[in-house]
Amino acid sequence: MQAKNDKPQAPAKQPRKRIKRGQRSKRMYLLLAGCLFLCLLAVGAGFALNQLDKTLDVVTVDPYKLPDQPVVEKPYEQKKSIAFAIVGVDTRKNIGMLNTDVLVVAVANPVTQKLSMVSLPRDTRVQIPGYPGYHKVNEVFALGENIRKDAEIKGKPVTENGMTMLKKTLNHMLGISVEHYVQLDFEGFTAVIDKLGGITVDVDRDLVYELPKQGVYRSLKKGKQLLNGEQALGFVRHRIDRRGDAYNSSDFDRNRRQQQVIRAVAEKSMSMDGLSSLTAVLDTVGQHIKTDLSKDQIKGLALDFASFSSSNMVTLDNGAIWSSPYSLWPRENMQAVRTALQTEVGAAGPGEQLSDAAVAEVAKVEMKAEKRTPAPNPKPTTGTKEQPKTQKPATPPNKAPEPTQEPVTPPTVPDGNGGEPSPEPTDSNMPPPDILAPPAPATDSADIGQTG
């Protein structure tokens, strides 16, 4: 949240002084990704604050700060909600891509002690303010990073990157100011869960999937069980099942499992005993998590959420449906999510019109119009020109505001999760084409199976 520099920080509340060492009430939840992921990781009130400060020194180095932005240590404003995006990115060497495999928007409200979250399916249809056309939300970060790299190569000022583009896209869609992010890579996800000693999860059904190393398979049996880091990652990312199409998981299945794991990590963090375990977890956090929350904001959240439990996590239903090549949200669900998030943030509805690119009733009309007239290659627009005619709906639904800056055509996103829309129409009742199992394991790609 944007803090007012002239506002003095409120003194610590008296009850905080009564917190005892063994209660671990200074809970800081690691915001885990990939579905991933948050969790303000638990830290006991008597815990070694020196170790905590060392970890936060590393975690709060923001790699997405624009060059012209000053370095400011934002103070924590008590009783003020903070909205942030939990971003899971696969950065594994020779395997990972910049597409966001997990994306969750969360609001932490210290007054109600609630953490409200909504998962965004990877193929959610969105508009990027200032750019023409429509995109899948999981490719927005990669597009912004490509724009940044292109500016650096050409020696031009960097005014955009993956995180700035993702934030403004989410703002334009949900109607709240998503000012912060917590990013975690998948290696960190598995390492943190291992340091926690595993998490207990009720696996919904038998799963058989291939690891990133081709030809190496793992299986999980249905039922409640303790999962290590590798198994937990396989659980949330399972998509293509070795046994065939009937056993595959959809993007919506993965969203549900992400929420399960977030709760399981929170519960395990709060049940941990021993400073040595907490120290090991914090060491791991420092290596794999990045955020633009300040040290003061993180510590303030930890104190204000001292009595937080997984029962205070509220999962908002996006109601997403598949309509090739996108995931779309029914208008009723979109409005309910927007209202819930705005209520937790404590802000009235936005003054400007929001993008309804992901609203099913709007998107289906626009997509039918696109099929009637093939869309040309996207070109830059200028000033306040309208979207290309092929993007216009047949009937005038709620339309997003025209760009206020000179748009630029984003570079192509690397082939992967956010690939080009399928040219062939698909039955709306069928799962996304990217989750269908090939007849045999591929030999020319390492990112298959549950890593997709």
Side-chain angles (χ1 to χ4, degrees):
M1 276 291 169
Q2 199 71 20
K4 298 180 180 179
N5 294 330
D6 59 348
K7 182 179 179 180
Q9 186 176 356
K13 297 177 181 178
Q14 185 63 28
R16 293 177 183 166
K17 297 181 181 179
R18 296 195 295 267
I19 297 174
K20 297 181 181 180
R21 176 183 296 266
Q23 294 174 334
R24 271 173 317 286
S25 51
K26 286 185 184 176
R27 306 291 185 187
M28 259 191 339
Y29 290 96
L30 248 182
L31 303 164
L32 287 179
C35 188
L36 285 287
F37 291 108
L38 162 120
C39 277
L40 286 163
L41 179 60
V43 179
F47 179 63
L49 294 181
N50 184 47
Q51 175 65 35
L52 173 59
D53 281 334
K54 287 180 180 179
T55 299
L56 294 183
D57 283 339
V58 177
V59 169
T60 56
V61 175
D62 181 13
Y64 304 108
K65 185 185 76 66
L66 295 175
D68 61 344
Q69 289 180 330
V71 178
V72 178
E73 176 71 13
K74 295 182 181 179
Y76 179 63
E77 297 183 70
Q78 291 181 321
K79 298 184 179 180
K80 191 169 185 179
S81 298
I82 294 182
F84 52 91
I86 303 165
V87 184
V89 179
D90 192 350
T91 58
R92 291 171 294 179
K93 188 175 182 181
N94 299 325
I95 297 178
M97 291 179 290
L98 288 177
N99 289 349
T100 51
D101 198 69
V102 175
L103 184 59
V104 177
V105 173
V107 176
N109 186 332
V111 176
T112 62
Q113 291 280 293
K114 283 168 55 179
L115 179 66
S116 301
M117 301 181 295
V118 60
S119 294
L120 279 73
R122 300 175 311 150
D123 294 330
T124 297
R125 182 176 184 260
V126 295
Q127 286 177 306
I128 304 174
Y131 297 85
Y134 301 96
H135 301 271
K136 296 181 179 182
V137 75
N138 78 320
E139 68 184 17
V140 173
F141 178 83
L143 290 171
E145 285 298 279
N146 285 343
I147 289 175
R148 176 184 64 80
K149 291 176 183 177
D150 186 59
E152 291 174 344
I153 291 172
K154 295 178 180 179
K156 296 182 178 180
V158 176
T159 59
E160 192 85 88
N161 60 44
M163 204 58 73
T164 60
M165 181 174 278
L166 181 59
K167 284 180 182 179
K168 69 182 183 182
T169 300
L170 295 174
N171 294 348
H172 194 38
M173 173 184 176
L174 298 174
I176 62 171
S177 181
V178 183
E179 292 194 55
H180 299 286
Y181 74 88
V182 178
Q183 177 182 305
L184 176 70
D185 60 51
F186 290 133
E187 289 181 354
F189 172 79
T190 58
V192 166
I193 289 179
D194 285 338
K195 294 295 183 183
L196 288 171
I199 56 173
T200 300
V201 172
D202 191 358
V203 178
D204 55 333
R205 56 189 171 89
D206 291 353
L207 306 173
V208 181
Y209 53 90
E210 188 173 13
L211 296 181
K213 184 183 295 184
Q214 292 181 5
V216 179
Y217 290 87
R218 291 285 186 270
S219 63
L220 289 176
K221 293 296 183 181
K222 179 180 179 180
K224 194 171 184 179
Q225 57 200 281
L226 183 69
L227 303 183
N228 62 26
E230 181 195 272
Q231 292 170 324
L233 182 60
F235 175 65
V236 299
R237 302 195 74 203
H238 177 272
R239 192 171 75 218
I240 298 175
D241 196 288
R242 180 137 197 256
R243 296 167 295 174
D245 295 1
Y247 300 94
N248 292 342
S249 295
S250 71
D251 201 20
F252 312 132
D253 294 328
R254 287 159 45 124
N255 284 168
R256 288 192 294 271
R257 292 179 187 142
Q258 290 168 5
Q259 300 291 345
Q260 277 184 264
V261 169
I262 289 175
R263 291 177 182 274
V265 172
E267 290 170 356
K268 187 59 179 284
S269 298
M270 290 182 286
S271 68
M272 287 183 65
D273 291 315
L275 298 183
S276 60
S277 297
L278 289 171
T279 301
V281 173
L282 285 176
D283 284 340
T284 303
V285 170
Q287 298 172 35
H288 296 282
I289 287 184
K290 291 296 179 185
T291 182
D292 59 353
L293 288 164
S294 69
K295 292 171 62 176
D296 192 58
Q297 287 175 315
I298 294 173
K299 290 179 180 179
L301 282 172
L303 289 169
D304 276 347
F305 278 77
S307 58
F308 181 81
S309 69
S310 60
S311 62
N312 294 69
M313 290 183 176
V314 178
T315 301
L316 304 175
D317 181 18
N318 57 43
I321 58 175
W322 174 250
S323 182
S324 180
Y326 299 107
S327 292
L328 305 176
W329 302 17
R331 183 184 294 280
E332 182 179 359
N333 292 75
M334 177 66 77
Q335 187 54 51
V337 168
R338 286 172 175 171
T339 300
L341 293 178
Q342 290 165 10
T343 299
E344 289 304 310
V345 169
E352 62 180 24
Q353 193 171 5
L354 300 180
S355 169
D356 281 343
V359 173
E361 291 84 345
V362 174
K364 287 182 178 180
V365 173
E366 294 177 332
M367 290 161 66
K368 285 181 181 178
E370 288 177 6
K371 289 179 181 179
R372 285 197 294 269
T373 307
N377 292 330
K379 297 179 181 180
T381 60
T382 56
T384 57
K385 287 185 178 180
E386 297 179 352
Q387 295 281 350
K389 290 183 179 180
T390 54
Q391 301 288 356
K392 282 188 176 181
T395 59
N398 293 333
K399 190 170 179 62
E402 303 298 340
T404 56
Q405 66 182 61
E406 183 171 348
V408 180
T409 302
T412 13
V413 68
D415 187 22
N417 298 342
E420 294 299 318
S422 172
E424 297 296 330
T426 303
D427 187 341
S428 61
N429 294 320
M430 291 293 289
D434 68 348
I435 72 168
L436 299 181
T443 58
D444 58 350
S445 172
D447 193 20
I448 60 176
Q450 101 283 12
T451 65

